[in-house]
Amino acid sequence: MLLINCPWCGPHNESEYHYGGQAHVPYPDNPAELDDRQWAEYVFYRDNPKGPFAERWMHSHGCRRWFNALRDTVSYEVLATYRLDEPRPEPRVTDPAGEQR
Amino acid sequence: MTAQPQPAPPEHPDFLWRNPEPRSSYDVVIVGAGGHGLATAYYLAKEHGITDVAVLEKGWLAGGNMARNTTIIRSNYLWDESAAIYEHALKLWEGLPEELDYDFLFSQRGVLNLAHTLQDVREGMRRANANRLNGVDAEWLDPDQVAEVCPILNVSPHTRYPVLGGTFQPRAGIAKHDHVAWALARRADEMGVDLIQGCEVTGFVKDGEKVVGVETNLGRINAGRVGLAAAGHSSVLAERAGVRLPVQSHPLQALVSELHEPVHPTVVMSNHVHVYVSQAHKGELVMGAGVDSYNGYGQRGSFHVIEEQMAAAVELFPIFARAHVLRTWGGIVDVTPDASPIISATPVENLFVNCGWGTGGFKATPAAGLTFAHTIATGEAHALNAPFALDRFTTGALIDEHGAAAVAH
């Protein structure tokens, strides 16, 4: 079970949270000008990286607020959590030797 | 004890497949030697006479999701497009042991999908009727009839989510997954297909907007056409070819108990309390539940998912309360926005993709192979996979099997 640090409530178990998929997906600036392909991109296509991934979580059994997390999709380590109005932090990645780079 | 004793597993043939070095060029390269990749190679050779084929596998043959699934085969899907392809798969399964001359213990012991709420009841009845209209065997059972099919199931009205009925597909069942892969591999190999293990595709060789080969850890391999059948890693692979896929990879875990006498005569699935249970030929209880909510490639799942599925299993099957878990494992499944697969050409010429099977690829293995082989060989969709093209996310012609697929994603 993941231990996720809610920016408002502190660390709680994964089962208290709801997952919201990729973070930082902006609503189109000029929606009336998008063609079908661009709408498909916005609605259905998301990044699916192997490694650090910025994603949305909601503390549904706590403060019920959305926030963002940077999480490694291979190790499942939660590298950082941050408020929606904060920028994506640089990934802190630990290599197999335990050195941070 | 209601279930019949199982026969001992059959002996394997003394020769399965060669282990060749890759040649520098093939007519077709398939990436991924799981069930779908092997079935594709088999049908390329059998249906289209294309035998200059290599199946590249980064690990070992059928060691990914094919080794990790819960072996359930059924075709009781709601929508016409899904019923057509899964029912075609089931019909192929029914002839495949003889066709491949390999007894992979295909056992049509039926699948029960339980209903625990009024909405479940309505969904189940609707699905059973839709199944019948599509030529899929299905019936609605009341709780007493459910208990007749599976006497160890607790259908009393005093559980937290009582069994209000269920759908039953008698022709559904299970098969021994490893043996399925080996059976397909042996026949493909016999017809000249090179099965190459320990060969990871690291990039694609392109000539303009056309793919002409793959880069691997064993060197460059030229290819007339390339088919991707890499399940959870489909988007990682496709990205190397410059193709973005509408899939998200999630961990899906399963577990088995120690061996027990045969007590469980069918397959029981419950979407609402969310567990599915069958008993393997050897006697293990094989159980699964939903995917973890988050994206992941770690081939392990969250403990709370197992905890919830075990609680559901013990409530439904009090007889299993003291069974011990022997081992758990996880696979990585690629889930599409409409919980339906993609078997399709891609924007890159000569590059084809078979992906997005989510939690349910095993049951489709023969039909996925047949239709993907057709698409690769002819460049055109087979009637069964035409609705499952990549462009449905642009046109909006989705096949939304979320919930309707009789298992939650």
Side-chain angles (χ1 to χ4, degrees), chain A residues 1-2 14-15 19 36-37 40-41 44-50 53 57 71 73-76, chain B residues 233 235 244-249 251 293-300 302 304 337 393-394 398:
Chain A
M1 176 138 26
L2 306 179
E14 170 194 341
S15 51
Y19 184 67
D36 288 351
R37 174 68 207 179
E41 285 281 337
F44 297 123
Y45 286 73
R46 292 292 180 269
D47 294 343
N48 190 26
K50 212 172 167 178
F53 186 39
W57 288 82
R71 190 180 57 87
T73 60
V74 179
S75 69
Y76 301 162
Chain B
H233 279 73
S235 66
R244 199 174 187 215
L245 294 175
V247 299
Q248 297 280 289
S249 298
S293 65
Y294 51 79
N295 292 30
Y297 291 93
Q299 295 193 323
R300 62 190 164 85
S302 294
H304 66 93
F393 299 99
T394 304
L398 302 180

Side-chain angles (χ1 to χ4, degrees), chain B residues 236-309:
Chain B
V236 174
L237 199 57
E239 198 173 288
R240 292 178 189 157
V243 174
R244 199 174 187 215
L245 294 175
V247 299
Q248 297 280 289
S249 298
H250 291 264
L252 172 66
Q253 61 186 328
L255 61 88
V256 289
S257 74
E258 67 212 311
L259 307 186
H260 296 282
E261 291 293 315
V263 290
H264 186 2
T266 183
V267 181
V268 168
M269 307 181 64
S270 166
N271 198 352
H272 189 76
V273 300
H274 215 174
V275 66
Y276 38 95
V277 190
S278 64
Q279 187 167 20
H281 292 82
K282 228 163 43 176
E284 311 100 309
L285 301 168
V286 185
M287 297 189 198
V291 298
D292 279 19
S293 65
Y294 51 79
N295 292 30
Y297 291 93
Q299 295 193 323
R300 62 190 164 85
S302 294
F303 183 73
H304 66 93
V305 173
I306 286 187
E307 205 173 16
E308 286 154 17
Q309 89 181 46

